[in-house]
Amino acid sequence: MPDVNSEKAPLNKKPFSTKRSFSEKKKEALAGYLYISPFFILFAIFGLFPILFSFYLGFHRWNGFGEMEYVGFKNFSLILSDPLFWKSLSNTIIMWILGTLPQLLIGIILAYALNATIIKFKSIFRVSVFMPYVTSTVAVAIVFGIMFNDQPFGLFNIIIGWFGVDPINWSTSDWGLKIAISTMVFWRWVGYNTIIYLAGLQAIPGELYEAATIDGATTRQKIQYITIPMLKPIIILTVFTSTIGALQLFTEPLIMVGRTYREEGLTVVLYLYREAFNNMAFGTASATAIILFLIIIVLSSINVFIANRIGK
Amino acid sequence: MKSQSSSQFISKAFLYMILVIATLLSIFPFYWMFVMATNTNEVINRIPPAILPGKELVANFTKVLNTIDFFGAIWNTFIVASITTIGVLILSSLAGFAFAKLNFRGKNALFVMILVTMVIPPQLGLIPQYIIISKLNWLSDFKAIIVPGLIDAFGIFWMRQYISSNVPDELIEAAKIDGCSIFRVYWNITVPIIIPAFATLAIIKFMYVWNDFLWPLVVLRDEESQTIQVALRGLIDNYVRDNGMILSGTFWATVPLVIIFLLFNRLFISSLTEGAVK
């Protein structure tokens, strides 16, 4: 960086720092607050206030137009006694496991392969594996929705036909729909996680491996004692983000089950959306949002706890 | 010696096999989308189905244009994504500059507060957000997407990291001593140095707004204001399911972003990984 002023700086520093410094400092602080204020103002209006208001709404009955009526915990007990809510919760958790676990495992394997020194054409592999992430969720859901066509000519039905399996009604069967949605999630996110893991692998200093080689460590030992422990923070990060993402599953099931809201494909956010914008029950919808928030906190904590034990 | 090289050959072949399979599986849906977009429904519903492109490229797309306002929706998305992106670049770089280079009380606590907002699930405030937008009379108005979209904690975090490690303190001190106002230090000294950070953030934000679905679905209620993602959904709501037409729509809606990604993939991937490793 060519810098003509840097020589002047230490020379000029003294004479100015006594008298002008106070007002200069004040000006600087004022500018600082001014520059960061848009975030806080916008967040207060469109972020914080809505969140607090959600907590308030969760204890009221309201259809968006008339008077709000305080109902205490009634919304929560309504939801918790609704079999459809439990169905949506169990759907969400099953799809979280089906979509997330394979995604992270395969992401680590792909990152390991991409990081191997003997591999050429790395950038081509990297770009193509990452490409699904660039596509919109809506497009992915539409494309996979058609691939998982219930008819015998649906692509996945043809593929399982090669193995002698009868066509499956993907869009109406309980497991069919979950597998279809999890496949969409897997396809879109596996490359993203691969790239994150790859960055983690590249940040591990090569000297560690060299030292281990000199000490006679096997490849397995290197993976177990260097790669996995060093990658642990990244693994925690991806487990964390993909859990939050999976619990917010919405677009894929909405496209798959359409406006029918079939219970086989209902997720918690879809349940919330239906309560709010189909049934105009803003109170129960807000209560659902609060329950979802609590579930996310609990599951993320469990996740971090388990991830912390990996490689110990 | 010999067994060493043959085992290396096996592991090399194995790694290539994994990567080639992953590549094919990643690319295949794009290819399949294109093949279906160029074929008639009869060919699509045949067993075995078409594996080569057909001749219906124009016919299928014409049907899309008759079903939804495709170009209108693309234009809406482009306008909304561009304005949001420009706004985020200005606000994030100013805030990032303040956090990286200016001294004021409570700076670190305020920065931590911004980071904390990143873990709050967006659905938590969805309904009140919708109510605020409708009270402001912003339903079906682009402001409903643009103004809340200017909140970008990641953008501020990203800019702060980039400015602290790439803009030398001495340069800023010297400029201040020469009597530069703080805004000029930002505009004339910081901005030219952080052009690469602008480029990366712009791509990430643009793609995010372009692909967003839930919020536009909730607040863009009339057809003239729809973004492309909401409009695409209109394709599958037809009672006559024409898969050639539907995939033609998704194909052409996907093309612009894939092109942007292929042009800037280096920037895009490097920024993601930097955010993750730090």
Side-chain angles (χ1 to χ4, degrees):
Chain A
M1 196 59 50
D3 177 15
V4 272
N5 289 333
S6 64
E7 257 178 280
K8 254 191 215 152
L11 282 173
N12 282 354
K13 223 169 192 173
K14 272 239 159 123
F16 282 93
S17 61
T18 42
K19 226 183 171 183
R20 282 182 57 191
S21 70
F22 184 69
S23 74
E24 288 293 313
K25 263 186 188 166
K26 239 182 160 175
K27 254 190 200 165
E28 189 176 316
L30 206 66
Y33 292 126
L34 185 70
Y35 294 168
I36 64 168
S37 59
F39 176 88
F40 288 96
I41 295 167
L42 286 171
F43 184 76
I45 301 169
F46 295 105
L48 186 64
F49 173 71
I51 289 166
L52 298 176
F53 197 68
S54 272
F55 278 94
Y56 178 79
L57 261 183
F59 295 93
H60 289 77
R61 198 205 321 264
W62 193 41
N63 63 7
F65 300 102
E67 288 286 296
M68 271 184 226
E69 184 196 340
Y70 178 77
V71 291
F73 282 93
K74 207 171 161 200
N75 288 329
F76 294 90
S77 63
L78 268 177
I79 292 165
L80 295 176
S81 61
D82 182 0
L84 213 52
F85 170 77
W86 290 104
K87 182 70 187 166
S88 75
L89 182 61
S90 78
N91 285 347
T92 309
I93 290 174
I94 291 170
M95 287 188 260
W96 164 54
I97 294 168
L98 285 181
T100 306
L101 281 184
Q103 192 190 111
L104 300 182
L105 280 176
I106 291 177
I108 291 183
I109 294 171
L110 287 179
Y112 185 80
L114 273 175
N115 197 39
T117 42
I118 44 175
I119 295 293
K120 283 178 189 153
F121 314 113
K122 278 179 186 168
S123 60
I124 294 175
F125 288 129
R126 203 169 53 200
V127 166
S128 40
V129 167
F130 191 70
M131 206 135 92
Y133 175 72
V134 175
T135 330
S136 77
T137 318
V138 177
V140 175
I142 290 175
V143 171
F144 278 75
I146 295 175
M147 284 183 174
F148 281 105
N149 196 314
D150 293 344
Q151 303 300 317
F153 55 75
L155 189 68
F156 279 97
N157 275 336
I158 290 174
I159 292 172
I160 61 171
W162 295 340
F163 301 96
V165 181
D166 287 335
I168 292 173
N169 285 330
W170 299 101
S171 69
T172 52
S173 71
D174 213 3
W175 279 96
L177 200 49
K178 289 188 181 68
I179 290 170
I181 291 171
S182 305
T183 308
M184 299 175 195
V185 175
F186 174 83
W187 183 78
R188 181 149 186 258
W189 288 94
V190 71
Y192 173 88
N193 285 306
T194 302
I195 297 301
I196 303 282
Y197 288 134
L198 182 61
L201 288 177
Q202 286 171 348
I204 300 174
E207 299 93 67
L208 281 180
Y209 291 110
E210 281 161 31
T213 312
I214 291 165
D215 289 346
T218 63
T219 309
R220 225 201 94 156
Q221 283 172 325
K222 282 183 212 164
I223 292 175
Q224 189 178 352
Y225 295 110
I226 301 175
T227 313
I228 293 186
M230 294 290 283
L231 209 55
K232 209 171 75 177
I234 305 281
I235 295 175
I236 294 175
L237 174 87
T238 53
V239 169
F240 195 76
T241 50
S242 57
T243 299
I244 293 177
L247 293 176
Q248 295 169 7
L249 213 56
F250 170 76
T251 308
E252 293 90 344
L254 182 67
I255 301 283
M256 273 300 271
V257 300
R259 296 196 200 277
T260 60
Y261 300 106
R262 290 187 66 91
E263 63 172 271
E264 292 89 348
L266 206 62
T267 59
V268 177
V269 179
L270 198 52
Y271 180 90
L272 186 164
Y273 178 83
R274 197 190 63 139
E275 283 292 296
F277 301 107
N278 273 50
N279 303 343
M280 301 309 276
F282 285 165
T284 45
S286 296
T288 311
I290 296 167
I291 294 173
L292 177 68
F293 177 57
L294 296 176
I295 293 170
I296 287 179
I297 290 177
V298 170
L299 276 184
S300 311
S301 318
I302 294 173
N303 261 320
V304 171
F305 178 74
I306 294 172
N308 260 320
R309 309 205 70 157
I310 297 175
K312 254 192 186 164
Chain B
M1 201 63 204
K2 210 181 170 195
S3 76
Q4 177 85 22
S5 70
S6 78
S7 85
Q8 207 179 36
F9 176 78
I10 291 170
S11 66
K12 195 171 168 180
F14 184 66
L15 291 176
Y16 271 115
M17 196 185 74
I18 292 175
L19 289 174
V20 168
I21 291 174
T23 298
L24 291 179
L25 290 179
S26 301
I27 300 298
F28 177 74
F30 292 100
Y31 175 73
W32 185 80
M33 192 157 64
F34 177 68
V35 169
M36 300 291 124
T38 57
N39 277 307
T40 58
N41 248 344
E42 290 83 73
V43 178
I44 292 170
N45 297 348
R46 207 171 60 189
I47 302 178
I51 48 164
L52 291 173
K55 297 192 177 87
E56 307 300 315
L57 183 69
V58 178
N60 278 337
F61 191 57
T62 310
K63 281 192 257 176
V64 172
L65 296 182
N66 290 335
T67 313
I68 57 169
D69 182 10
F70 184 87
F71 289 115
I74 289 273
W75 177 247
N76 289 346
T77 319
F78 179 76
I79 291 293
V80 168
S82 306
I83 297 176
T84 312
T85 303
I86 292 167
V88 162
L89 292 186
I90 295 169
L91 296 184
S92 300
S93 61
L94 275 170
F97 168 72
F99 281 120
K101 298 294 177 192
L102 301 180
N103 289 310
F104 49 92
R105 278 181 67 180
K107 185 166 93 165
N108 292 331
L110 290 168
F111 185 65
V112 170
M113 274 167 71
I114 291 181
L115 294 186
V116 168
T117 64
M118 288 208 265
V119 294
I120 301 169
Q123 290 87 12
L124 188 56
L126 180 71
I127 293 150
Q129 279 160 357
Y130 167 75
I131 295 166
I132 293 170
I133 294 296
S134 69
K135 288 264 192 269
L136 287 169
N137 248 331
W138 284 2
L139 286 182
S140 299
D141 186 326
F142 293 162
K143 285 198 283 270
I145 310 279
I146 295 168
V147 178
L150 296 175
I151 306 172
D152 195 321
F154 170 78
I156 295 176
F157 168 76
W158 167 244
M159 281 295 176
R160 177 194 180 260
Q161 301 301 95
Y162 197 91
I163 292 170
S164 357
S165 49
N166 290 284
V167 183
D169 281 336
E170 301 83 52
L171 200 61
I172 288 183
E173 281 307 313
K176 275 192 211 160
I177 286 153
D178 287 352
C180 257
S181 71
I182 289 164
F183 184 75
R184 278 195 58 191
V185 174
Y186 161 78
W187 184 249
N188 290 352
I189 294 173
T190 309
V191 167
I193 297 176
I194 61 169
I195 298 287
F198 277 120
T200 314
L201 185 59
I203 296 165
I204 293 177
K205 189 69 192 182
F206 190 86
M207 287 207 171
Y208 180 82
V209 181
W210 186 284
N211 284 334
D212 199 14
F213 179 60
L214 177 55
W215 184 240
L217 181 68
V218 168
V219 292
L220 299 182
R221 297 246 132 183
D222 69 32
E223 241 161 76
E224 282 85 67
S225 68
Q226 278 179 355
T227 58
I228 187 66
Q229 306 307 332
V230 182
L232 279 183
R233 195 196 170 206
L235 285 181
I236 55 168
D237 277 351
N238 281 332
Y239 48 93
V240 189
R241 273 189 80 94
D242 183 342
N243 286 345
M245 183 267 284
I246 293 171
L247 286 175
S248 172
T250 48
F251 177 76
W252 289 110
T254 305
V255 165
L257 274 202
V258 169
I259 291 175
I260 291 179
F261 169 66
L262 290 177
L263 288 176
F264 297 105
N265 78 78
R266 220 166 263 277
L267 273 177
F268 194 50
I269 288 176
S270 73
S271 84
L272 256 176
T273 53
E274 273 180 60
V277 178
K278 262 171 192 163

